[in-house]
Amino acid sequence: MSERRARELRECLNAASLAYYRAEPTGLTDGEWDALLQELMVLEAEHPELQTPDSPTLRVGAPPADGFDTVDHKQAMLSLANAFNAQDVVEFDRRVRERLASQGIDTVSYAAEPKLDGLAVSLLYEHGQLVRGATRGDGRQGEDITANLRTVKRIPLALAGAGFPDTLEVRGELIMPRSAFDHFNAEQLAKGGKVFVNPRNAAAGSVRLLDSRITAQRPLDFFAYSVGHIDGGAMPGLHSEALALLGEWGLPINPLCDKVTAAAGCDAYYARVVAERAALDYDIDGVVFKVDRLDWQARVGQVARAPRWAVARKFPAEEMTTELL
Ligand code: IVH
């Protein structure tokens, strides 16, 4: 009886959060939401075994941990090679085409995305439930920050819909929106707390706190940008389609993600994002181009820590003027 009620409450609250972030009607007033969450908290307090990994009660954080466990990434979390101008991208595209030339391929489509300036994290879903969250660390081993990542409201605790692999690792960037950062820093200053130099440091500092109840108070956000290890299921053969599917399952996908063709398409995308950059409420430090076909990515391969099938075209470093008072 309690078990069934706990499941109903979890499903209802998780569906309402997803609807809220999709700007769809949640079907619940704020008061109803609070009452249902309260009911679930009471049930779980009475029957701790009813608290599942996707319980929305975990959003408030957990008592402080002694430290973080180490996590082995089943698939290394790579970094990106940089391009600093249009010519570097022309050369990147030429190298990609050369590696595919034996297949008679002469035009390549790329997934084009903003390069978000935050912190890379990995989310592991087992049967649709978020069971582990980790930092990138050195790419092979990171830190287990599950309790902290569960407090990030836009990270689904349970995937929506159906058809996801039994094991699905999602990778993406944890960020703090600029407006939220300004507000947060002003508050910290007013109460004599720690202020951060930029949203990236604030996001990184917030997600590595041993007390996830404090992380829960920080205005963090997340965008998924790739799929890592999967098991017991399949994903589409195009990176862009895989991202769209992650979006259907409730993961936030950046609205600037697009698809372009050849170096000329990459250049036009770069210009478009440069034009939109100032109006964005989060920091980006460039754009990323990824060979869209996953079988072609495999053929193009990787060197050391970076794939040869992707490149980050960085924005020129911003010139800042500091007024000395
Ligand atoms: S893909 C194999 N996509 O850039 C490619 N990374 O230098 C691995 N980043 O640590 C990453 N936005 O934190 C990818 N749209 C995006 C990204 C992105 C930001 C960061 C990521 C990674 C670093 C790589």
Side-chain angles (χ1 to χ4, degrees), residues 2-54:
S2 318
E3 191 181 340
R4 205 184 62 206
R5 182 66 184 151
R7 183 171 353 106
E8 266 170 20
L9 291 166
R10 274 195 313 268
E11 286 174 2
C12 175
L13 290 161
N14 284 340
S17 318
L18 178 63
Y20 177 80
Y21 284 107
R22 284 180 167 166
E24 291 165 1
T26 63
L28 295 178
T29 62
D30 287 356
E32 285 166 341
W33 163 275
D34 288 341
L36 294 179
L37 187 63
Q38 186 61 31
E39 187 186 342
L40 185 57
M41 286 197 315
V42 169
L43 259 182
E44 289 177 355
E46 286 168 356
H47 308 277
E49 73 284 1
L50 293 181
Q51 191 181 53
T52 55
D54 64 342

Side-chain angles (χ1 to χ4, degrees), residues 78-80 113-116 120 136 173 225 288 290 307 309:
L78 302 174
S79 54
L80 291 163
E113 303 167 5
K115 186 168 191 293
L116 305 158
R136 172 174 183 264
E173 201 84 348
Y225 58 62
V288 185
K290 304 172 181 174
W309 46 261

Side-chain angles (χ1 to χ4, degrees), residues 73-268:
H73 296 300
K74 284 202 175 172
Q75 206 169 291
M77 290 183 78
L78 302 174
S79 54
L80 291 163
N82 290 329
F84 297 100
N85 51 46
Q87 187 55 31
D88 288 349
V89 178
V90 167
E91 277 155 29
F92 157 76
D93 174 63
R94 184 182 46 72
R95 288 192 301 271
V96 166
R97 284 183 294 109
E98 265 170 21
R99 295 204 164 256
L100 295 170
S102 59
Q103 273 85 42
I105 294 152
D106 55 17
T107 311
V108 179
S109 288
Y110 296 99
E113 303 167 5
K115 186 168 191 293
L116 305 158
D117 197 8
L119 177 83
V121 295
S122 147
L123 306 174
L124 190 67
Y125 288 89
E126 295 279 5
H127 302 285
Q129 289 191 344
L130 177 66
V131 294
R132 197 195 73 191
T135 60
R136 172 174 183 264
D138 65 4
R140 308 203 171 275
Q141 289 190 317
E143 285 176 319
D144 185 331
I145 52 164
T146 311
N148 302 48
L149 289 178
R150 282 198 178 115
T151 71
V152 179
K153 314 248 173 341
R154 285 242 286 176
I155 294 181
L157 298 175
L159 298 179
F164 26 83
D166 296 344
T167 300
L168 169 68
E169 189 203 347
V170 176
R171 292 170 175 183
E173 201 84 348
L174 192 78
I175 58 164
M176 188 179 281
R178 252 200 303 248
S179 55
F181 167 76
D182 291 342
H183 184 75
F184 167 70
N185 250 0
E187 256 179 18
Q188 291 287 102
L189 199 62
K191 65 178 187 201
K194 181 178 161 71
V195 290
F196 291 93
V197 288
N198 57 37
R200 174 164 40 81
N201 286 3
S206 299
V207 88
R208 292 191 64 258
L209 291 167
L210 289 171
D211 190 340
S212 54
R213 292 170 304 189
I214 303 178
T215 309
Q217 311 301 318
R218 302 276 168 95
L220 297 170
D221 205 347
F222 171 81
F223 286 111
Y225 58 62
S226 73
V227 174
H229 173 76
I230 65 162
D231 203 9
M235 290 296 287
L238 296 181
H239 173 84
S240 56
E241 283 178 1
L243 282 194
L245 201 49
L246 294 182
E248 283 175 29
W249 293 335
L251 287 147
I253 305 299
N254 189 281
L256 292 172
C257 289
D258 206 347
K259 207 172 150 165
V260 300
T261 305
C266 294
D267 208 34

